[in-house]
Amino acid sequence: MARLVFIAGHAGTGKTTLARRAVPLLHARTGESFCVLDKDTAYGAYSAKVMGLLTGDPDDRDSPTFLEHLRDEEYRGLIDIAAENLALGVNVVLVGPFSREVKSKRVFDPLALGVPADTRIRVIWAALDEATAKARIVARGDPRDRYKLEHWDEYRKRRFEPDPAEFPALLRFDNTAFDEAAFERLIAAIC
């Protein structure tokens, strides 16, 4: 049975950094390797090309055009790549917002995801308050965040914080100030 670990959360919450910290710990605890598939790495150049053709803005990753025409295809493709690896017995860590997939609870259901039925799924939600997340987005200076920052009020309406009572299987990690001991407990919960 292969493992699928989602590291999900809104922009600026430190998902990629958490994945980079998690993989060596997961390997040490399980003795197994993990393939990391980050949405931005997998689809960044492709989406830049398509959005440049559609809107004239290759850095657009949050406009209605992106959300309507590319967003779901990026996620579907990422999950399809994960499914191929999982079917071969390769553990996968998926990194991306996955907010729609969490909200719909699809991430907890192997059949809904299209991954092997015996896949062991864990979902981490990287949590961070909105003001801190926005400050981190501004500080990183990534051009792909420009649309989001210019339309922050619109973006913030899509942000949701999963209620632990409604999402009991979600492993929430407060990433405001990285806590090594809390992260170790999180990794233990995944294993």
Side-chain angles (χ1 to χ4, degrees), residues 43-53 57-61 70:
Y43 287 101
Y46 175 79
S47 293
K49 181 70 170 182
V50 172
M51 291 309 292
L53 293 169
D57 182 1
D59 296 321
D60 176 354
R61 293 299 185 284
L70 275 179

Side-chain angles (χ1 to χ4, degrees), residues 29-152:
R29 283 189 173 265
T30 66
E32 302 168 6
S33 295
F34 287 78
C35 168
V36 176
L37 298 174
D38 188 308
K39 185 184 84 64
D40 290 339
T41 303
Y43 287 101
Y46 175 79
S47 293
K49 181 70 170 182
V50 172
M51 291 309 292
L53 293 169
L54 287 175
T55 67
D57 182 1
D59 296 321
D60 176 354
R61 293 299 185 284
D62 217 70
S63 72
T65 300
F66 174 81
L67 296 173
E68 183 179 337
H69 298 291
L70 275 179
R71 188 257 183 225
D72 290 346
E73 284 70 21
E74 282 188 358
Y75 285 78
R76 178 74 257 152
L78 199 61
I79 293 169
D80 287 348
I81 296 167
E84 289 180 353
N85 282 278
L86 293 163
L88 295 170
V90 177
N91 299 309
V92 177
V93 175
L94 284 179
V95 182
F98 290 102
S99 52
R100 289 183 192 173
E101 292 75 13
V102 169
K103 198 173 194 177
S104 71
K105 300 183 181 171
R106 194 171 143 238
V107 292
F108 303 103
D109 182 354
L111 297 177
L113 289 172
V115 301
D118 65 346
T119 302
R120 184 174 176 194
I121 299 174
R122 297 292 183 261
V123 182
I124 298 169
W125 183 263
L128 193 64
D129 68 88
E130 180 185 332
T132 304
K134 185 175 183 182
R136 288 184 183 178
I137 292 168
V138 169
R140 73 184 177 193
D142 189 328
R144 293 177 296 182
D145 292 322
R146 186 178 59 248
Y147 187 94
K148 183 183 289 92
L149 290 169
E150 289 173 356
H151 301 86
W152 189 259

